Amino acid sequence: MTRTLAEWLAYQERTHPRDIALGLDRVRAVWEAMGAPRPAPIVITVGGTNGKGSTVALLEGMLRAAGYRTGCYTSPHLLRYNERIRIEGEDAADEALVASFERIEAARGDIPQTYFEFGTLAAIDLMARASLDVAILEVGLGGRLDAVNIVDPDVAVVTTVDLDHQDWLGGDRDSIGREKAGIARAGRPAIVGEPAPPAGLLQALRDIGAHIVRAGEAYTVTTAPAEAAPVGATPVGWRWTHRDGTVLDLPRPALDAPVQVANAATAIAAIHALGPRVDVSPEAIRRALEQVHVAGRLQRIAERPRTLVDVGHNPQAARALAAWLDAEPSTGRVFAVYGALADKDVAGVVAALGRRIDGWFLAGLERDTPRGLPAEAVAATLAAVLPGSAAQAFPDVAQAWAAARDTAGDEDTVLLFGSFFVAGAALSTVT
């Protein structure tokens, strides 16, 4: 009897005893049993601590605006599993996913696969059947031992490197950087999206023999002069310059937050590194910047009070939220609806936002996932890091958000963040 998508996903959670089992031997063996399909003639693999999802979406938007057929694989999802695989801008259908899972099951024999490995193989399988031009694969965890690394990319991208998943990747930026460098290949471009990357990342890329394309060296981002925009044209927000002399005057991304300019610059560098293999005009890049949105990335879901949802869950992401709050100050108070997983640096997140938050509405996530922290545990960390902060604890996101809405006035801001579970719970009420 054919399983439904929900039944397949439940089954996948039981086929391997661990949620995370890094390593390529098992997933590669099944991929090879399926014929080792390549998802597209050109593959871009995107890794990094933060900014991966936005960079994937920007790459997709720029390439599609230029007329290329694209496929994207991202994780985790917010509302529906189908979001993880996009073919030509559309989420994979239940029927397509079920058919792919059946092919994977037939090929794997007695080789166990994790939930993520099933999804990765399905993404590769569905893309390979879609006659695409470019596949964009997002790393799930780390890079070197992540399942997407069975496919050799034409361009590897490392957006940023910061502390996250230390139990798996190492306790410092150098160690984490070395793991993320593992998606690069000898003689092929490796885009490094931050100007001050850890030495471990750069040394690992050199050891691999990748061609390093580094922000701040190979390409730079500057604020463009006002006169750069022709009369009547969209105002220029920034300028992308490559050391080969290429200069692009560009509008600010529709994606909010100052960090999105860096993500856009990284996406442009990846396309530029493909050289004559793709033809993406400056106009296509401009259209994508003006049109691309990504769910859960400072997504505004209500006004009065201004209400935003963000998946940021580590200190680096919290620093980006702090920069946005500083650049877009509220005329009133700022309230946070915050929940976290047990393996996250709650203290670092709280410290990054500091006294910008006037009141914390803490949501327990233990009902959503075994990794979820109770609100009381988050409250204890908050009290230690920011003594005297106004905070209330609630058993779930819905109750925390309801209390924040009751407290906030029309001129205030409510920011829901800290986990994909927080973002998903918020977005499920407005979609």
Side-chain angles (χ1 to χ4, degrees):
M1 180 181 296
T2 299
R3 297 182 178 97
T4 65
L5 177 58
E7 289 168 340
W8 266 110
L9 297 177
Y11 168 74
Q12 290 167 23
E13 292 177 339
R14 302 192 300 270
T15 62
H16 196 283
R18 298 170 64 184
D19 291 337
I20 300 172
L22 295 178
L24 302 182
D25 291 345
R26 289 173 294 98
V27 68
R28 179 180 283 120
V30 179
W31 177 57
E32 290 174 348
M34 297 175 72
R38 187 166 176 80
I42 297 173
V43 175
I44 303 171
T45 298
V46 180
T49 302
N50 291 303
K52 296 188 297 292
S54 297
T55 301
V56 167
L58 288 160
L59 280 165
E60 177 188 35
M62 292 172 190
L63 288 161
R64 293 194 69 216
Y68 291 98
R69 291 175 53 82
T70 64
C72 294
Y73 176 48
T74 62
S75 64
H77 60 275
L78 283 167
L79 301 177
R80 299 171 66 239
Y81 183 90
N82 312 59
E83 299 166 17
R84 294 180 177 225
I85 303 172
R86 291 196 303 278
I87 307 291
E88 276 289 84
E90 297 292 331
D91 293 347
D94 284 15
E95 297 78 8
L97 286 164
V98 166
S100 185
F101 291 148
E102 289 173 348
R103 291 189 287 270
I104 296 165
E105 183 73 357
R108 80 175 182 89
D110 61 357
I111 303 172
Q113 297 288 283
T114 66
Y115 183 91
F116 183 77
E117 288 164 349
F118 261 102
T120 302
L121 290 168
I124 294 170
D125 174 51
L126 293 177
M127 290 182 192
R129 294 169 181 271
S131 300
L132 301 176
D133 300 309
V134 184
I136 309 163
L137 308 179
E138 179 186 331
V139 171
L141 177 62
R144 182 176 63 92
L145 298 177
D146 187 85
V148 302
N149 206 30
I150 60 175
V151 178
D152 292 332
D154 297 275
V155 176
V157 175
V158 178
T159 54
T160 62
V161 178
D162 208 76
L163 299 180
D164 202 7
H165 301 295
Q166 290 101 307
D167 289 347
W168 295 97
L169 305 179
D172 54 65
R173 291 182 74 225
D174 281 334
S175 299
I176 294 170
R178 282 190 285 270
E179 289 297 316
K180 294 185 184 299
I183 62 174
R185 298 296 188 269
R188 298 184 182 182
I191 314 302
V192 178
E194 60 178 318
L201 170 67
L202 297 176
Q203 186 58 54
L205 291 174
R206 286 192 289 266
D207 291 344
I208 290 168
H211 172 55
I212 300 173
V213 180
R214 179 175 167 183
E217 291 189 357
Y219 67 94
T220 57
V221 172
T222 55
T223 301
E227 62 271 16
V231 176
T234 302
V236 173
W238 59 290
R239 173 171 285 171
W240 187 92
T241 304
H242 195 276
R243 62 186 170 197
D244 67 5
T246 303
V247 177
L248 299 174
D249 288 320
L250 301 165
R252 292 194 63 82
L255 285 166
D256 220 332
V259 71
Q260 294 297 354
V261 170
N263 292 333
T266 301
I268 294 168
I271 290 173
H272 189 80
L274 286 168
R277 297 183 67 185
V278 295
D279 181 11
V280 181
S281 69
E283 181 53 36
I285 292 172
R286 293 186 189 102
R287 287 202 306 273
L289 290 174
E290 293 170 344
Q291 295 171 6
V292 169
H293 292 83
V294 186
R297 275 66 172 185
L298 272 178
Q299 181 178 352
R300 192 174 301 217
I301 60 172
E303 303 290 347
R304 305 184 70 80
R306 179 175 65 170
T307 305
L308 301 105
V309 177
D310 194 87
V311 298
H313 54 264
N314 53 42
Q316 186 183 53
R319 292 193 295 271
L321 289 176
W324 179 82
L325 288 170
D326 292 341
E328 300 285 341
S330 171
T331 55
R333 299 165 296 177
V334 178
F335 298 112
V337 176
Y338 174 55
L341 302 184
D343 60 343
K344 301 304 175 185
D345 182 2
V346 174
V349 168
V350 168
L353 286 163
R355 301 297 178 181
R356 296 175 181 84
I357 306 300
D358 296 292
W360 296 82
F361 297 80
L362 305 174
L365 299 184
E366 70 271 27
R367 296 178 181 177
D368 300 296
T369 170
R371 297 164 58 209
L373 280 176
E376 292 75 15
V378 180
T381 301
L382 174 65
V385 176
L386 296 176
S389 294
Q392 301 176 57
F394 299 88
D396 55 36
V397 175
Q399 294 181 61
W401 188 13
R405 284 197 302 265
D406 289 343
T407 303
D410 285 352
E411 302 304 316
D412 295 333
T413 294
V414 177
L415 177 63
L416 298 100
F417 79 105
S419 167
F420 273 80
F421 290 101
V422 174
L427 294 178
S428 67
T429 69
V430 296
T431 56

